[in-house]
Amino acid sequence: MDPIQANTRARKLRLQLEQHNQLYYLDAAPEISDADYDSLMNQLKAIEAEHPVLQVADSPTQRVGGKPLAGFQTIRHPVKMLSIEDIHQLKEDEVHHSGNDNDKGLIDWFERFQRNLGQKNFELTVEPKIDGVAVAIMYRNGVLDYAATRGDGSTGDDITQNIKTIRSIPLKLPGHAPQTFEVRGEVFMHNADFNKLNDERHAEGMQAFINPRNATAGTLKQLDSRIVATRPLDLIFHSFGTVDKFSFTTIDQFHELLPTLNLKADKWFRLIDDLPSLRVAIHELDKERHAFSYATDGAVIKVNEIALHQHLGSTSKYPRWACAFKFCPEQKETLLKSISIQVGRTGVLTPVAELSPIFISGTTVSRATLHNEEEMKRKDVRVGDIVIVEKAGEIIPAVVKVIPEKRPNDSKPFNLFEHVGGKCPSCGGNISQAEGFIAWKCTNFTCPEKTVTRLKHFGSRRMLDLEGLGDALAEKLVDSGIIKGPMELFKLSTEDLADLHLAPARLQSGEDSKPRRFGEKKAYLLTASIDKSKSLPLDKWLFALGIPAVGESAAVECSRLHESFTKVANSDVLHFIAERGEKESWLKANPLSPKKEEISQEEKAYRMEIATEFKPRVRILSDKLAPFKISPELGGVAANELINFFASDCGKETLHAIEEMGIDPKSANYSPRPGDDLEGTGGTLPFESMTWVITGTLSQSRDHFKELILQKGGKVSGSISQKTSCLLTGDNAGSKLRKAESLGVTIVTEEQFDRMLEQ
Ligand code: IVH
């Protein structure tokens, strides 16, 4: 690789690694396996080793593992947290080839175990192996003292704050609990909660979690326990570490003790005493587990008598008194008939495999997510392929791989852009792929698929804070065609809202409630907050509209520069910012003597010609903008998006709607030329909190006087009211002057005005 290629490759790898790091550590939604991550990292390490100049300080190779984890304290486990020896159920084809029973591993283990023990009379327990994340929770004197992950078995991370957010875990135990009681269990997400969480993430444009275990592991890694509190975690206790006084001598007694201490134990539990009943129990579990509300991937078999645990001891890794019998996930072959593209609530395009229906692990599967284009390329999935499908974590159907030998001769690699003809399949809008991101997105602001997201954004706390406008209501309003955009909320009456029937809610038990009526009380509160939102300041409104690139800071800066909503719609400043931004970006992207690329003479001449035109223009625009001291938070891209919004149908409809409501949201921080205004005034402006009206013929244009009033901190209104502080009058003043006189408003001539300014 030459240095230029190496640099390009290294930059791409860094971008990818950083993105996966973020998906893993911050979003807890890994898109690639650890092995794939390591392979990318190794490629980058190799390039940096070969080209030491590329070893930059912010390369992911400099910080293996990522920052957030550094925040957890570590805790030493008083009793080592061992893992369990796995034995595997044989797959159907292995059974076929070897002529063995598919319980062979189990039978071997049982016989070996019996020999080790040296006795025939013993009992074993069988429990579901929960596919979650192990934690140890210490209760001292009945109070939850700490919670720790397994870590390397000897020390783990202190995740007490995260664990405390799990409502099913008691913070205090009843009086009969041992004084020192370290209980261990599995944290997990119920399948239904997991699906709901993923739906929500999808709606918010976030990457979906791959399976409940990944979602759980990622959640427990969060340093911010407020995020953890929003995630639906649960825990089932299955074992113990250190205990100061045993009130139980067997595993089944421990299992019975747990619920008396309000500690959740698995409902499925068997006590057996010979091999045939062990095999029956395991097969029953394999059948029944598909109906469980959480994922299981095997059975844990333990010796019931705790005294025998010490007798049997453990290897360096596993106890000799337990084993985990792993069920093999059911996999089936089927035809991938076609690929459809789903448009998410934020416009993300997700490819979905349409399959010939097939029965796997208890349900018929006819669709499977293909995640994204990159994942499809990695597996080289094509229409017409015979694919192997399994339920990842026994829940979500996934395409594991394709069978290349069965591929039709005329098959073509999949290309998402071509597949949808470059257009959003929902609204026909353009699609684009943001730099460094894998997903394609619909760029049409008013794509109907995005309406629910726009509505929820509009009503959320930091925007217009509309009480009770939750997911279910937003979905109901949009999906049943009641409203087509946020501004239509203002047309809803309390009665309209009260009568709506929302989708069922998920109850604590994991079951669904009956469909709910929104009801009068909530409807009243919502309409009251919709009414209240009309008087919220301009920045909240600008932020709430969800205009691309207009976040909170851009909205606040825009509201500093404009008095009201309609002023933003007719702004000159925004045009200047947008034009300067566009021209500057062009100049940056098309340098006259690029460092990295070779350009032809024609290209150079062309760039020179454009630069000769652009550079002086940028200077003029910068001079014009200088007095406004505009923060970079409101850059060219945001200014452009604002202009586009107000020029679009949606923007025009919004303007029309606010006009109909008789409002024009006002800036709460209006101060367009901060430096100029405050100079020599000691910080307070002479016309602060004064409202002026201008009338009659003056020596200069009304805009000239208006500008002067604004600069001195005053406001200018078009009509006289009780609130008017002063009327600036010129020659031939008419009705306004009469009204001002009748209301007792101070009347100021141009001469007096000039004197006021001088003072
Ligand atoms: S007992 C030394 N019971 O599986 C044995 N573990 O692969 C102590 N697990 O580390 C654990 N369900 O985190 C036990 N019913 C169950 C379990 C279970 C899941 C986990 C546990 C363990 C891992 C071993």
Side-chain angles (χ1 to χ4, degrees):
M1 229 186 264
D2 67 42
I4 293 174
Q5 279 173 327
N7 185 28
T8 317
R9 179 80 189 125
R11 282 172 59 173
K12 181 149 185 230
L13 284 168
R14 270 181 218 130
L15 208 65
Q16 280 179 325
L17 282 163
E18 275 305 294
Q19 200 190 335
H20 288 303
N21 224 8
Q22 194 178 340
L23 287 166
Y24 189 81
Y25 284 106
L26 297 172
D27 304 333
E31 277 181 359
I32 57 169
S33 67
D34 290 357
D36 288 350
Y37 182 91
D38 290 345
S39 140
L40 291 176
M41 179 67 90
N42 288 338
Q43 288 177 45
L44 181 59
K45 277 185 189 159
I47 294 174
E48 289 183 359
E50 199 185 326
H51 304 274
V53 281
L54 299 179
Q55 276 174 11
V56 289
D58 62 357
S59 172
T61 54
Q62 308 290 310
R63 57 164 198 129
V64 181
K67 241 193 212 157
L69 268 182
F72 288 120
Q73 302 281 330
T74 52
I75 283 181
R76 177 159 288 279
H77 298 298
V79 175
K80 215 170 165 191
M81 276 182 97
L82 295 170
S83 51
I84 318 181
E85 182 183 2
D86 282 341
I87 46 179
H88 293 275
Q89 189 177 39
L90 294 187
K91 289 186 191 140
E92 290 308 318
D93 55 342
E94 289 168 338
V95 173
H96 200 72
H97 284 121
S98 63
N100 279 323
D101 192 301
N102 63 357
D103 287 348
K104 185 176 183 305
L106 182 71
I107 299 166
D108 289 351
W109 176 82
F110 188 89
E111 285 169 357
R112 184 161 41 98
F113 167 75
Q114 215 171 23
R115 273 198 306 277
N116 267 343
L117 188 63
Q119 67 183 70
K120 289 217 158 157
N121 277 344
F122 56 84
E123 286 175 322
L124 296 174
T125 62
V126 184
E127 301 165 29
K129 181 161 162 32
I130 304 156
D131 196 9
V133 177
V135 289
I137 302 182
M138 176 66 94
Y139 287 94
R140 285 193 212 277
N141 302 319
V143 178
L144 194 157
D145 183 29
Y146 70 77
T149 61
R150 176 161 59 188
D152 63 3
S154 302
T155 55
D157 286 328
D158 179 348
I159 52 162
T160 313
Q161 288 310 319
N162 289 350
I163 286 297
K164 279 184 176 175
T165 68
I166 304 176
R167 302 270 177 116
S168 63
I169 301 177
L171 301 177
K172 245 181 156 170
L173 298 184
H176 65 283
Q179 292 223 311
T180 302
F181 192 38
E182 186 208 342
V183 253
R184 296 174 177 180
E186 219 64 15
V187 185
F188 62 93
M189 266 181 212
H190 292 277
N191 300 340
D193 289 332
F194 166 77
N195 289 333
K196 192 166 166 248
L197 176 68
N198 259 358
D199 288 349
E200 285 164 10
R201 290 173 71 83
H202 199 251
E204 282 159 23
M206 290 192 273
Q207 195 71 44
F209 290 115
I210 287 171
N211 60 37
R213 188 175 35 76
N214 261 307
T216 305
T219 301
L220 291 178
K221 281 194 188 115
Q222 293 282 345
L223 285 167
D224 185 347
S225 57
R226 285 169 306 181
I227 297 175
V228 183
T230 67
R231 303 269 174 87
L233 295 177
D234 201 355
L235 184 141
I236 286 182
F237 291 99
H238 51 53
S239 52
F240 52 86
T242 180
V243 181
D244 69 339
K245 217 157 123 215
F246 282 90
S247 60
F248 49 91
T249 58
T250 59
I251 295 291
D252 70 323
Q253 283 170 11
F254 169 72
H255 188 78
E256 275 161 26
L257 170 71
L258 289 172
T260 72
L261 296 172
N262 305 322
L263 300 167
K264 209 188 244 188
D266 209 308
K267 289 203 185 78
W268 202 102
F269 186 87
R270 297 278 193 280
L271 191 60
I272 57 96
D273 57 7
D274 60 14
L275 183 60
S277 48
L278 172 64
R279 294 179 64 177
V280 169
I282 284 189
H283 289 146
E284 274 176 9
L285 175 60
D286 196 12
K287 262 203 204 131
E288 292 169 30
R289 70 195 182 100
H290 298 303
F292 290 2
S293 67
Y294 48 87
T296 53
D297 59 350
V300 176
I301 305 162
K302 301 173 190 166
V303 173
N304 195 33
E305 194 68 46
I306 294 167
L308 287 180
H309 295 189
Q310 276 93 47
H311 172 74
L312 284 159
S314 54
T315 68
S316 61
K317 282 197 216 148
Y318 316 117
R320 288 199 191 90
W321 50 267
C323 79
F325 183 72
K326 298 281 282 276
F327 299 121
C328 56
E330 205 178 347
Q331 292 190 337
K332 293 231 172 118
E333 274 181 29
T334 190
L335 169 71
L336 194 158
K337 294 190 297 184
S338 61
I339 291 168
S340 57
I341 305 291
Q342 271 182 350
V343 187
R345 299 264 196 215
T346 50
V348 171
L349 272 52
T350 305
V352 178
E354 303 290 344
L355 307 164
S356 282
I358 189 140
F359 194 76
I360 314 174
S361 311
T363 54
T364 302
V365 172
S366 53
R367 309 184 86 198
T369 174
L370 292 165
H371 299 290
N372 54 53
E373 199 178 16
E374 186 152 302
E375 182 72 7
M376 287 183 67
K377 281 193 183 135
R378 204 171 59 79
K379 293 181 185 157
D380 191 17
V381 180
R382 305 179 186 190
V383 175
D385 274 344
I386 298 295
V387 293
I388 293 180
V389 179
E390 74 174 29
K391 284 205 200 150
E394 297 290 325
I395 301 165
I396 304 176
V399 171
V400 183
K401 60 176 182 182
V402 304
I403 304 180
E405 307 89 68
K406 297 192 179 173
R407 168 168 286 168
N409 291 334
D410 58 350
S411 90
K412 277 196 262 62
F414 182 78
N415 178 304
L416 195 145
F417 189 86
E418 276 174 18
H419 191 77
V420 295
K423 301 282 178 211
C424 166
S426 173
C427 70
N430 289 336
I431 62 166
S432 76
Q433 197 176 23
E435 208 196 319
F437 283 85
I438 295 160
W440 286 91
K441 265 184 147 184
C442 167
T443 58
N444 173 15
F445 180 65
T446 52
C447 174
E449 302 296 336
K450 298 186 196 171
T451 314
V452 170
T453 311
R454 273 173 58 216
L455 198 59
K456 285 199 293 194
H457 176 88
F458 191 73
S460 58
R461 189 142 295 172
R462 277 161 61 216
M463 326 279 159
L464 297 194
D465 195 14
L466 305 181
E467 201 176 333
L469 182 64
D471 296 8
L473 180 63
E475 275 157 26
K476 178 79 192 181
L477 290 170
V478 175
D479 295 344
S480 48
I482 300 169
I483 62 176
K484 291 191 191 62
M487 295 309 288
E488 291 180 28
L489 279 173
F490 294 91
K491 292 185 180 155
L492 295 174
S493 68
T494 312
E495 294 78 52
D496 293 339
L497 287 163
D499 264 343
L500 292 174
H501 283 80
L502 307 187
R506 183 128 300 135
L507 303 173
Q508 276 271 299
S509 62
E511 287 159 29
D512 283 345
S513 73
K514 294 206 173 66
R516 303 157 286 158
R517 189 173 171 270
F518 194 60
E520 274 73 19
K521 195 172 161 209
K522 280 191 182 158
Y524 172 76
L525 289 173
L526 177 56
T527 38
S529 70
I530 290 176
D531 244 11
K532 203 170 129 200
S533 73
K534 291 181 186 169
S535 54
L536 286 176
L538 176 61
D539 58 305
K540 296 269 183 208
W541 275 83
L542 290 173
F543 186 26
L545 286 167
I547 301 166
V550 183
E552 196 166 17
S553 324
V556 169
E557 182 63 352
C558 184
S559 115
R560 180 181 71 77
L561 298 167
H562 302 88
E563 237 185 318
S564 69
F565 196 75
T566 48
K567 291 275 162 42
V568 182
N570 300 304
S571 166
D572 288 335
V573 177
L574 287 179
H575 279 275
F576 297 153
I577 304 172
E579 190 190 338
R580 180 178 62 174
E582 254 169 19
K583 295 204 155 79
E584 276 179 343
S585 307
W586 193 94
L587 291 167
K588 214 166 166 190
N590 299 282
L592 292 176
S593 18
K595 287 197 188 90
K596 289 166 211 135
E597 45 166 351
E598 285 280 327
I599 57 168
S600 64
Q601 281 309 313
E602 287 99 358
E603 174 68 19
K604 199 167 180 175
Y606 167 73
R607 290 186 185 190
M608 179 78 94
E609 193 184 323
I610 305 259
T612 324
E613 182 194 323
F614 278 12
K615 279 189 178 161
R617 180 69 187 152
V618 167
R619 222 170 298 128
I620 292 171
L621 289 166
S622 291
D623 286 347
K624 271 186 198 277
L625 289 170
F628 297 97
K629 298 196 167 63
I630 293 164
S631 125
E633 307 279 9
L634 181 65
V637 177
N640 214 357
E641 292 288 359
L642 281 158
I643 295 167
N644 289 343
F645 172 76
F646 285 106
S648 71
D649 288 345
C650 177
K652 285 179 196 150
E653 283 160 21
T654 308
L655 280 168
H656 182 67
I658 66 155
E659 193 185 329
E660 268 194 343
M661 287 192 273
I663 60 165
D664 185 9
K666 299 279 178 300
S667 167
N669 60 333
Y670 185 61
S671 164
R673 297 173 185 233
D676 297 356
D677 285 350
L678 297 174
E679 252 168 52
T681 63
T684 39
L685 297 167
F687 292 171
E688 197 106 72
S689 67
M690 285 170 91
T691 304
W692 287 76
V693 175
I694 310 173
T695 192
T697 316
L698 296 150
S699 66
Q700 292 192 59
S701 76
R702 282 200 191 162
D703 277 346
H704 165 82
F705 289 96
K706 191 171 163 186
E707 181 87 277
L708 291 172
I709 294 168
L710 294 178
Q711 275 181 19
K712 299 292 170 190
K715 289 187 205 127
V716 178
S717 160
S719 57
I720 301 276
S721 73
Q722 296 278 6
K723 288 187 190 145
T724 312
S725 324
C726 300
L727 175 73
L728 170 62
T729 50
D731 293 339
N732 307 320
S735 62
K736 281 192 182 142
L737 178 59
R738 281 194 296 280
K739 190 163 179 195
E741 280 169 340
S742 72
L743 288 174
V745 170
T746 312
I747 302 187
V748 179
T749 62
E750 199 181 326
E751 224 183 307
Q752 288 167 322
F753 182 78
D754 286 342
R755 248 180 282 133
M756 282 170 98
L757 284 184
E758 277 162 26
Q759 279 164 18

